Amino acid sequence: MQYKSTRNSKILVNSAQAIVQGISKEGGLFVPESFPHLSMEEIAALADKTYAERAAAILTNFLTDFTPEEIQHCVTNAYRPEKFGSDRIAELAHLYDGTYMLELWHGPTCAFKDMALQLLPYLLTTSAKKVAPNQEIVILVATSGDTGKAALEGFKDVEGTRILVFYPEDGVSAMQKRQMTTQEGHNVQVCAIQGNFDDAQTGVKTIFTDAAFAQKLADNGKMFSSANSINWGRLVPQIVYYFSAYADLISSGDIRPGDAINVVVPTGNFGNILSAYYAKKMGLPVRKFICASNANNVLTDFIRTGTYDRNRAFHATISPSMDILISSNLERLLFDLCGEDDQEICQLFDSLKTKGTYTISDTMRTKLQAEFYGGYCDDQQTCAEIKKIFDKYSYLCDTHTAVALKVYDDYKAETGDTTKAVIASTASPYKFSASVLEAIEGKKSDADEYTQLARLHALSNLEIPEQLANLQNKPVRFTGSVDKTEMPVVVAKMLGL
């Protein structure tokens, strides 16, 4: 299996190089040269396997330069039951008739990013031994909240690596900020920026593609890689849990092998829903992908019109991990939709850079709308959905999952489609306790976040994750905040360059 760049398809690298490098030198993203196909018999056979075994079965198709023993080492260490509090790793809860919650937040940081970022350090260190054996890998991360903590937790104290995380100062929840600023580990650095997530993401990409900076790193025995979903090593583990959910539905008798499902994903950077699309390309029977956005509805407008336009107001919402106007992984989907025409991709993203907008061809738009439905809801609707689901089903969901549930309701009302649906539940409600508590009780609480955790627990009886409850007593290590333009200087200083 070789990987090509979305902006220069003549570039071909193996999976180890793609994972270590993170992003192609000219700014393109790595995608598989072709997608493997699993028969329905192979998919159905996953029903009797553990999550780690399912992961190995999927990853083997993509990591062909890894030995079976290396893949086994990676998955068994990443998906240990004690890390996720369950043998199942990714829990599937039946909410109501035909609707299932894929709970991806039972890992160490209580967010879906753990599903990939517990595995990525093993993939990266194994890859580095193959293609960069004598270099320190510097993980550079922009986060809208969950990726940062999950990456920090995954890479802390991993030999041969350093991890630097930038987050928007006023763009994460109090709990997310506390998780990052108290992070332990000798090889971690965290810094806030005075800007939003798009500013942080743009800054990271700019540093990644700076040839002079790369040379300075090389002169000091270091190289950049990424833990954001621009890295193929972040994206490929996410394909696994859609196959796993389907296998669980077969195992429980809720579907028969070959039955189609719908997939609903609260979406910001487009990586999670793209992974589901890639699962379909591999043979997973998915009828429709429902892309759910908050008030930053750039993706909804794009899916409905074919025009992507980031020239709009940026909204700081109660679902901050989705407060994004530049969805990086959309580039990979567009590359697929345009028949892998790298020149077309270059033109589209040059237009996005210079004008803030682009419009895809009618052919691409037709393909897009055949697969995807786009919808959004604002904060008021999100709160109403949290209360409705709690009152009706005694199920407590976070602010991002609530967006998905509301948009799915809208989709069903608009289309009448009653296909069984898997909804990606992306974070523990306790990570956004202030907003969730306000939604349920109808009033803001002036209490601190730990009192709010206790109140939510009293209302719901949902166990408070120990890793969140224990944050109260952890010392804050990182307090820095810089202007977005200072990121290159800060990175150089962090690395002693």
Side-chain angles (χ1 to χ4, degrees):
M1 174 70 73
Q2 295 286 298
Y3 293 81
K4 63 178 71 171
S5 167
T6 54
R7 302 192 190 183
N8 184 352
S9 56
K10 293 180 181 177
I11 294 174
L12 291 176
V13 299
N14 61 23
S15 68
Q17 185 66 44
I19 290 169
V20 168
Q21 198 169 322
I23 189 171
S24 190
K25 291 179 180 179
E26 82 293 345
L29 306 184
F30 289 116
V31 296
E33 192 175 20
S34 62
F35 277 86
H37 188 271
L38 273 65
S39 68
M40 187 46 59
E41 289 77 14
E42 290 174 305
I43 295 172
L46 297 175
D48 297 326
K49 297 183 182 297
T50 66
Y51 191 87
E53 290 169 338
R54 292 170 181 176
I58 301 301
L59 295 175
T60 296
N61 294 279
F62 291 103
L63 310 179
T64 55
D65 49 328
F66 282 53
T67 67
E69 292 76 19
E70 286 172 334
I71 291 176
Q72 191 66 29
H73 167 76
C74 292
V75 298
T76 54
N77 280 283
Y79 301 122
R80 295 201 300 267
E82 61 267 27
K83 285 185 177 182
F84 290 85
S86 165
D87 289 338
R88 299 172 68 87
I89 308 299
E91 295 283 351
L92 194 66
H94 191 185
L95 185 62
Y96 56 84
D97 187 37
T99 303
Y100 304 84
M101 307 302 291
L102 179 56
E103 295 179 349
L104 301 169
W105 40 264
H106 293 284
T109 74
C110 306
F112 83 99
K113 307 296 176 74
D114 288 325
M115 302 299 296
L117 283 165
Q118 283 298 302
L119 180 61
L120 180 60
Y122 294 100
L123 296 180
L124 185 59
T125 52
T126 302
S127 297
K129 291 176 183 177
K130 300 175 185 291
V131 299
N134 299 314
Q135 290 187 294
E136 182 180 56
I137 308 298
V138 178
I139 313 297
L140 190 58
V141 179
T143 185
S144 54
D146 288 333
T147 291
K149 173 58 180 178
L152 288 162
E153 191 64 27
F155 280 96
K156 73 173 182 182
D157 296 327
V158 173
E159 291 303 319
T161 70
R162 296 275 297 278
I163 178 164
L164 320 179
V165 171
F166 291 89
Y167 70 93
E169 187 171 31
D170 298 317
V172 300
S173 75
M175 190 61 74
Q176 287 174 314
K177 183 175 182 178
R178 183 82 181 180
Q179 282 186 299
M180 288 187 284
T181 57
T182 59
Q183 178 64 48
E184 300 165 340
H186 75 273
N187 62 335
V188 306
Q189 292 281 343
V190 178
C191 186
I193 69 155
Q194 296 145 23
N196 58 37
F197 169 74
D198 290 326
D199 296 323
Q201 182 168 248
T202 298
V204 164
K205 285 187 175 179
T206 300
I207 296 169
F208 257 108
T209 53
D210 185 328
F213 208 125
Q215 186 57 54
K216 188 183 295 186
L217 278 177
D219 292 343
N220 286 271
K222 307 177 191 296
M223 68 178 293
F224 279 135
S225 190
S226 173
N228 286 94
S229 54
I230 56 174
N231 190 322
W232 178 249
R234 251 292 305 279
L235 205 60
V236 68
Q238 295 179 265
I239 296 173
V240 175
Y241 50 69
Y242 292 108
F243 278 102
S244 182
Y246 193 86
D248 283 343
L249 288 172
I250 292 174
S251 182
S252 63
D254 288 279
I255 63 172
R256 295 170 299 177
D259 287 351
I261 61 170
N262 287 333
V263 172
V264 189
V265 186
T267 309
N269 218 17
F270 208 75
N272 200 359
I273 198 166
L274 178 69
S275 301
Y277 176 77
Y278 281 167
K280 181 175 182 177
K281 286 178 69 69
M282 296 174 66
L284 193 70
V286 179
R287 176 163 290 138
K288 203 77 172 183
F289 301 97
I290 293 113
C291 178
S293 300
N294 60 18
N296 294 294
N297 60 344
V298 63
L299 284 168
T300 303
D301 289 347
F302 172 67
I303 291 169
R304 294 182 177 185
T305 68
T307 295
Y308 194 99
D309 188 354
R310 65 173 174 84
N311 299 315
R312 62 183 67 207
F314 176 87
H315 301 283
T317 74
I318 61 172
S319 47
S321 297
M322 299 160 65
D323 290 349
I324 296 171
L325 293 179
I326 303 176
S327 303
S328 286
N329 269 292
L330 190 60
E331 180 169 340
R332 284 183 165 114
L333 176 66
L334 297 180
F335 186 68
D336 188 75
L337 295 179
C338 73
E340 301 191 343
D341 184 341
D342 53 7
Q343 292 307 301
E344 176 75 9
I345 296 300
C346 287
Q347 290 172 14
L348 291 174
F349 284 88
D350 281 346
S351 179
L352 183 66
K353 184 177 181 179
T354 58
K355 301 176 183 177
T357 184
Y358 60 76
T359 300
I360 60 176
S361 68
D362 290 346
T363 300
M364 290 174 68
R365 187 179 70 249
T366 298
K367 291 179 181 178
L368 173 71
Q369 292 173 344
E371 298 285 356
F372 290 86
Y373 169 91
Y376 75 99
C377 68
D378 60 22
D379 281 355
Q380 185 177 356
Q381 293 169 310
T382 302
C383 287
E385 190 70 19
I386 291 171
K387 181 168 176 56
K388 183 187 85 172
I389 294 297
F390 182 71
D391 289 347
K392 194 170 184 179
Y393 304 109
S394 299
Y395 188 88
L396 193 65
C397 66
D398 85 294
T399 51
H400 303 76
T401 305
V403 170
L405 285 161
K406 174 62 172 70
V407 171
Y408 179 52
D409 283 346
D410 293 343
Y411 169 77
K412 286 188 294 181
E414 183 178 326
T415 66
D417 184 0
T418 58
T419 302
K420 290 180 178 178
V422 170
I423 297 177
S425 180
T426 54
S428 166
Y430 288 116
K431 290 197 75 168
F432 305 92
S433 54
S435 296
V436 174
L437 191 59
E438 181 180 351
I440 292 174
E441 296 195 312
K443 60 182 180 180
K444 285 191 174 182
S445 169
D446 294 328
D448 63 45
E449 57 261 44
Y450 303 102
T451 303
Q452 291 170 354
L453 290 182
R455 176 61 180 160
L456 270 183
H457 173 66
L459 289 170
S460 68
N461 288 323
L462 180 67
E463 184 178 352
I464 301 174
E466 184 179 334
Q467 56 269 46
L468 296 183
N470 291 344
L471 285 175
Q472 186 172 10
N473 300 317
K474 292 183 68 174
V476 173
R477 294 183 63 197
F478 304 104
T479 58
S481 175
V482 300
D483 188 87
K484 61 187 179 182
T485 60
E486 298 177 21
M487 286 176 62
V489 174
V490 172
V491 170
K493 185 176 180 181
M494 286 176 170
L495 297 176
L497 300 179

